[in-house]
Amino acid sequence: HQSTLLMCDIDHFKRVNDTYGHSAGDLVIQQIADAVRKTLRATDIAGRYGGEEYAILLVETNLEQAAHLAERLRKSVEQLSIKYNSQILKVTLSIGLAEHNKDMTSYRQWLEAADKALYRSKAGGRNRVTCYSPLD
């Protein structure tokens, strides 16, 4: 059975904290966590991985299926209008995906592959989904 790992990062999160304060940043994290919860299936596992990063494990899910789910999540976050005091905050998510394969001898390699794909999403302009390729 194939499984795919998603690494997600809130774009320009530091700017939210610096502009509106940490309570606004906390609200953004909570709203994105709700979007993640609504998008995932009961068998998927999600958690925060560092400050504004999320790791999501999609079990028995190949890369193509995972890319569709990741795109749904990206769109749902992009459509959020987070009300903080009298402000409406708009945020986006960069997502990197890596399907586990037989050449990966450790979970660290799998994590690094998803992280490379995430970096390519951010370098490519943010607010996008990028799939890891062993050719990267």
Side-chain angles (χ1 to χ4, degrees):
H1 296 292
Q2 288 301 101
S3 294
T4 302
L5 180 64
L6 278 64
M7 292 297 290
C8 311
D9 190 80
I10 304 169
D11 296 323
H12 304 295
F13 184 70
K14 185 177 177 344
R15 190 183 302 160
V16 172
N17 276 334
D18 290 349
T19 305
Y20 303 102
H22 289 280
S23 54
D26 290 346
L27 181 63
V28 166
I29 287 171
Q30 290 166 4
Q31 295 284 315
I32 290 177
D34 286 345
V36 168
R37 229 183 331 276
K38 288 174 185 163
T39 305
L40 297 187
R41 305 156 306 180
T43 55
D44 300 327
I45 301 163
R48 266 177 83 184
Y49 184 85
E52 69 273 9
E53 281 193 338
Y54 295 83
I56 302 171
L57 177 60
L58 306 179
V59 293
E60 296 184 14
T61 308
N62 67 30
L63 193 63
E64 185 180 344
Q65 295 164 323
H68 287 293
L69 187 143
E71 185 59 25
R72 277 201 324 272
L73 175 59
R74 187 201 63 75
K75 283 181 181 167
S76 74
V77 169
E78 183 181 47
Q79 292 167 358
L80 289 175
S81 290
I82 303 168
K83 194 166 184 340
Y84 180 75
N85 294 336
S86 60
Q87 303 286 323
I88 298 293
L89 308 181
K90 301 295 282 180
V91 292
T92 57
L93 211 55
S94 291
I95 304 174
L97 296 82
E99 184 177 50
H100 191 269
N101 68 52
K102 62 181 173 14
D103 297 327
M104 294 175 178
T105 56
S106 72
Y107 286 102
R108 169 116 344 256
Q109 284 180 301
W110 192 14
L111 192 63
E112 286 171 0
D115 215 37
K116 275 184 188 171
L118 170 61
Y119 177 80
R120 285 193 36 234
S121 281
K122 294 179 92 53
R126 296 182 164 82
N127 190 26
R128 65 187 61 219
V129 173
T130 303
C131 296
Y132 172 77
S133 162
L135 305 174
D136 290 341

